[in-house]
Amino acid sequence: MAEFDPTIRAEVERIWREHLGVDPGATQAELTAQFDEEAQRLTELVLQRVGVGQGYLVRNWKAEHPGQDPDVMMTHQLIAKAEHDSREAVLAEELYSQVPEISEEQIARELEIEQRIEAEIAQRRQSRDPDRWRSGMVEVPDLARRVVRRVWPSEAMTFRTYAESLIAQKMEDNERTPLTAADPLADELAQMIDEQIKASKAAGNRVV
């Protein structure tokens, strides 16, 4: 099955289990396949929107900064915003719209939680927190996912999730990322990721 956004995957399972309901006779494997398939569909819709959204944001940025082009850091931020906005739009249209019973109070509460998370991500990015990738406190652009797919194509989901956060962090901090699996940096980062996975399991934390 094709790749899907783990954030979307988590929301699909949450909404279906908490609001839409699942087949009580279905096995866990069948439910997992169902959630994965829907997450894949929504992820594809997001990717279709990202290019348009990114182009719009770049044009606006250039209009506000005549004669300039966005640097690498700003480009990553624009990509991240385009992906965030696209994901939110698709989830609202394709998933949340199926749950009319969600109250205004619940929506406001979930929005407040999301805003707190976004504020923490921004604060950690600004302070260059070197460990923010370990807790997923980074916005992961599609470019980071493409790097991970190219450099570590055969790794498990847990590894790729941490890898995407680590690569995204390095992009935010204007640090070098590996170009291919043969790049020595790939082995160095892979060791960091493996150590983090072991530490998370030892601490009893849930990993993907």
Side-chain angles (χ1 to χ4, degrees):
M1 180 173 289
E3 297 286 335
F4 52 72
D5 183 329
T7 300
I8 291 177
R9 171 60 171 77
E11 274 298 271
V12 165
E13 180 167 358
R14 184 181 72 83
I15 292 297
W16 282 17
R17 288 190 183 280
E18 295 180 7
H19 301 285
L20 302 183
V22 297
D23 182 356
T27 66
Q28 184 57 49
E30 289 171 339
L31 291 176
T32 296
Q34 187 178 13
F35 298 148
D36 288 354
E37 182 178 358
E38 179 65 2
Q40 178 189 346
R41 184 181 75 85
L42 298 185
T43 298
E44 290 172 351
L45 291 177
V46 170
L47 293 177
Q48 291 170 13
R49 287 175 177 253
V50 167
V52 175
Q54 181 185 347
Y56 172 79
L57 292 173
V58 169
R59 287 193 298 274
N60 276 3
W61 190 93
K62 288 184 175 181
E64 295 172 358
H65 303 80
Q68 299 182 45
D69 289 319
D71 60 15
V72 173
M73 179 65 176
M74 179 54 64
T75 298
H76 289 324
Q77 291 178 359
L78 293 174
I79 292 173
K81 178 168 175 53
E83 291 188 339
H84 175 273
D85 292 350
S86 298
R87 183 191 300 116
E88 291 301 300
V90 167
L91 287 175
E93 294 171 9
E94 300 288 331
L95 189 62
Y96 301 147
S97 63
Q98 299 182 57
V99 193
E101 68 269 21
I102 292 182
S103 67
E104 292 294 328
E105 180 182 354
Q106 184 175 351
I107 292 174
R109 185 167 59 250
E110 291 179 358
L111 179 60
E112 180 182 354
I113 293 172
E114 180 181 342
Q115 289 173 339
R116 286 205 302 268
I117 293 173
E118 290 178 353
E120 182 176 357
I121 288 174
Q123 187 276 324
R124 292 198 184 189
R125 179 172 59 239
Q126 185 175 10
S127 66
R128 296 290 184 92
D129 178 355
D131 292 323
R132 62 190 188 276
W133 68 275
R134 300 179 187 274
S135 55
M137 286 291 103
V138 291
E139 288 281 357
V140 179
D142 189 54
L143 178 58
R145 294 189 180 97
R146 291 201 299 270
V147 170
V148 171
R149 287 197 295 268
R150 183 176 66 247
V151 177
W152 298 290
S154 302
E155 293 290 348
M157 176 73 72
T158 300
F159 182 99
R160 294 202 308 272
T161 299
Y162 278 119
E164 288 170 358
S165 293
L166 180 54
I167 293 298
Q169 175 178 307
K170 287 191 167 296
M171 288 178 173
E172 288 178 352
D173 293 346
N174 287 323
E175 296 179 1
R176 195 173 76 82
T177 59
L179 298 176
T180 68
D183 189 326
L185 182 58
D187 290 336
E188 178 183 333
L189 299 185
Q191 183 176 353
M192 292 173 58
I193 295 165
D194 287 337
E195 290 173 353
Q196 176 58 34
I197 292 172
K198 291 177 183 177
S200 293
K201 289 181 178 179
N205 297 333
R206 180 179 180 272
V207 293
V208 178

